[in-house]
Amino acid sequence: MTLTLLPYQEEGVAFLQSKDYALLADDPGLGKTAQVLRSLDPQQPVLVICPKVAKGVWKAEAAKWIGPNYPVTICKSKAQARYPHAGEMVIMSYDSADITDNYIQPKTLLVADEAHLVKAGNNKRCALFRTITRQVIWNQGRIWLLTGTPMPNNPQELWNILAYTPMADEAWGNERNFFRLFNGFRIQTNFGMQVKWGKPTPAAGIG
């Protein structure tokens, strides 16, 4: 059976293939996994970080869209976590993404599925993920972020997700400017100082 993409998915493939750093934010269920698999070069090293329950899905989809002989390794624990070799896909969960071996192939593609899981920006999971993104960037790799909910609660989460790549600075200059463009302000509450957000300015590029 020959698998085909819908027109909007073909546009997504063209978009991803043209970008070293990208955020694919199609709504859930619209086939972001298929778009990624059709976009990548099977000869490059591919690292997929995703929720634990999605690891098997990625392996099955890779067999469908790339081929049953495409080598895919699922890391079941932190002890197994490693970077992929050329022509191989390695899949691990966010909580197992603790790679102690710093050797990474140049041009590695990192795919972060459900990237909103690292939206907090300041916990252990985020620190592990940030270490990997820095390794990928330093070694001239690519990072594609996938999420149907890039800003679940407030604009800060959007910044935190994009800031794992150069995209945040490219879009808004720096975090202070992002805060200004999204009309963020701090207020004193019974729980301490908290950030509130107003209506984004037109220069924020939203809407």
Side-chain angles (χ1 to χ4, degrees), residues 58-102:
W58 272 95
K59 183 173 183 177
E61 289 295 299
K64 285 168 51 179
W65 289 96
I66 301 177
N69 296 323
Y70 179 58
V72 176
T73 298
I74 292 181
C75 299
K76 298 180 180 180
S77 66
K78 290 182 180 180
Q80 296 179 350
R82 64 174 177 82
Y83 288 112
H85 305 300
E88 175 195 29
M89 175 182 289
V90 170
I91 305 171
M92 65 187 67
S93 69
Y94 284 95
D95 293 326
S96 295
D98 188 3
I99 303 177
T100 56
D101 181 2
N102 288 330

Side-chain angles (χ1 to χ4, degrees), residues 151-170:
M151 193 168 63
N153 299 304
N154 59 66
Q156 184 67 52
E157 295 170 346
L158 176 62
W159 172 270
N160 291 346
I161 292 171
L162 293 181
Y164 293 107
T165 76
M167 289 189 290
D169 285 339
E170 289 173 0

Side-chain angles (χ1 to χ4, degrees), residues 39-187:
S39 301
L40 61 83
D41 176 359
Q43 299 306 311
Q44 71 185 143
V46 179
L47 175 60
V48 175
I49 302 180
C50 62
K52 184 177 181 180
V53 296
K55 292 191 292 185
V57 174
W58 272 95
K59 183 173 183 177
E61 289 295 299
K64 285 168 51 179
W65 289 96
I66 301 177
N69 296 323
Y70 179 58
V72 176
T73 298
I74 292 181
C75 299
K76 298 180 180 180
S77 66
K78 290 182 180 180
Q80 296 179 350
R82 64 174 177 82
Y83 288 112
H85 305 300
E88 175 195 29
M89 175 182 289
V90 170
I91 305 171
M92 65 187 67
S93 69
Y94 284 95
D95 293 326
S96 295
D98 188 3
I99 303 177
T100 56
D101 181 2
N102 288 330
Y103 181 74
I104 178 174
Q105 293 275 353
K107 310 293 185 181
T108 293
L109 169 63
L110 168 61
V111 179
D113 190 16
E114 305 292 356
H116 54 270
L117 294 176
V118 285
K119 67 184 181 182
N122 59 359
N123 57 28
K124 184 177 180 180
R125 175 190 290 172
C126 296
L128 292 174
F129 183 68
R130 184 173 294 107
T131 297
I132 293 174
T133 60
R134 287 173 175 170
Q135 287 282 341
V136 172
I137 293 170
W138 288 339
N139 287 277
Q140 300 180 314
R142 311 173 82 182
I143 300 174
W144 296 345
L145 307 170
L146 315 180
T147 174
T149 52
M151 193 168 63
N153 299 304
N154 59 66
Q156 184 67 52
E157 295 170 346
L158 176 62
W159 172 270
N160 291 346
I161 292 171
L162 293 181
Y164 293 107
T165 76
M167 289 189 290
D169 285 339
E170 289 173 0
W172 298 292
N174 53 48
E175 189 170 9
R176 182 176 180 180
N177 196 47
F178 175 87
F179 195 83
R180 179 182 64 83
L181 292 173
F182 281 79
N183 276 315
F185 58 96
R186 293 178 173 83
I187 60 172

